[in-house]
Amino acid sequence: SRSLSTISRRCATRKPSGASPVISSFSSNSIRSSLFQIRMSSTEAAEATEVKTITPSPRRVKTVDAEVSEDPVSIKGWVRTVRKQKTLAFVEVNDGSSMSGIQCVLPFDAIDEATLGEIENLTTGCSVHAIGNIVKSQGGKQSVELSATSLRIVGSCPGETFPLAKKRHSLEYLRTIAHLRPRTNTIAAVARVRSTLAGSIHAFFQDEGFNYVQTPLITASDCEGAGEMFRVTTLDTDNVESLPRAKDDDGNELPGVDYGEDFFGKAAFLTVSGQLGGETHACALGDVYTFGPTFRAENSQTTRHLAEFWMVEPEMAFADLTSAMDNAEAMLKSVVGVALD
């Protein structure tokens, strides 16, 4: 307070010519407030520069890569089954990386109170986050298991109404629960194989020096010439009377719709092939390939006909039949080899 009084007297007595009267009216209260703000700013700056120790979260591993570890790891996935006993609980968790998933063992005397409470709410289908050490399994169905010390429910699920039981379901039944069928072994395995095949196709052509070309999905060209194509239109087909009618040069109505008034000004369809686009690019880039969805409107219910599928179409400039056959053979060997591995 003595130093503040001295500063106040100096501010009041030292008044240079032309100085603002505000300077001469400084009070000890205003100076004390200013010094308080300075001290606060210094404290905040010190706290901001202080190095804080942050405990790193356990490394997340995929169940397909699970190996015995000394350090805790993190497993995230969806519950397949739950078995509760007097002293421990067994929870099978699948994260989508393999068909079997991993068994999490939770001894009641080695987990925290929060985990004990979560075990009571565990149901088939809920998503969880488990932490623990991967150890050798004492059972014969799996080589390793997670000795969990912590488990948290990320997303709950009503187990009594969950439609997927641990049994084989027919494909017809799975079509009725399309939002859950990727969790079954069959559909999940198909998805993983398709992912591997698609990645290996791209890798092969990229290694061979091909350029990847994306051809249009909506087109006015009938590449195959068969005519079985899905039409794309913005016209109100529910109101037939409102559809614009085609007319001849004299203005007389003709059978059919005038697609000149449609979105693209002409009839448009979903593509049946990217071949035409691939050929035009091959005449400029050399070796190219297209790989994308194609659509066929053949009204056939056999397993040999698909309404939608993905097709790879390489186009090579200055190629003969032998080089085309060699390319196709090498691609099949490469792709199948990667899938088998």
Side-chain angles (χ1 to χ4, degrees), residues 32 38 49 96 114 123 130 147 153 159 171 192 223 241 263 297 318 341:
R32 186 178 293 109
I38 293 174
T49 56
T123 59
S147 180
I153 296 177
L171 295 178
R192 286 190 292 268
C223 183
E241 299 298 329
F263 185 89
F318 310 106
D341 291 341

Side-chain angles (χ1 to χ4, degrees), residues 39 52 61 77 79 88 90 132 153 176 212 222 228 236 239 242 246 253 268 282-283 301 310 328:
R39 292 194 187 99
K52 295 183 179 180
V61 299
V79 174
L88 74 167
F90 298 94
I153 296 177
T176 65
Y212 176 38
D222 183 3
E228 289 82 2
D236 186 7
N239 187 359
S242 67
E253 287 192 359
C283 291
Q301 305 300 321
W310 280 58

Side-chain angles (χ1 to χ4, degrees), residues 173-186:
Y173 172 72
L174 294 180
R175 290 190 183 98
T176 65
I177 51 171
H179 63 297
L180 290 175
R181 63 181 180 179
R183 296 196 189 185
T184 63
N185 285 338
T186 300

Side-chain angles (χ1 to χ4, degrees), residues 61-70 73 75 90-93 97-98 100-105 132-148:
V61 299
K62 296 287 188 179
T63 58
V64 69
D65 301 321
E67 297 178 346
V68 175
S69 63
E70 296 181 358
V73 299
I75 297 290
F90 298 94
V91 182
E92 182 184 346
V93 178
S97 63
S98 65
S100 57
I102 192 169
Q103 177 176 261
C104 301
V105 183
N133 293 76
I134 298 179
V135 299
K136 289 185 178 180
S137 178
Q138 299 181 4
K141 294 184 178 180
Q142 60 277 329
S143 58
V144 295
E145 61 188 19
L146 183 73
S147 180

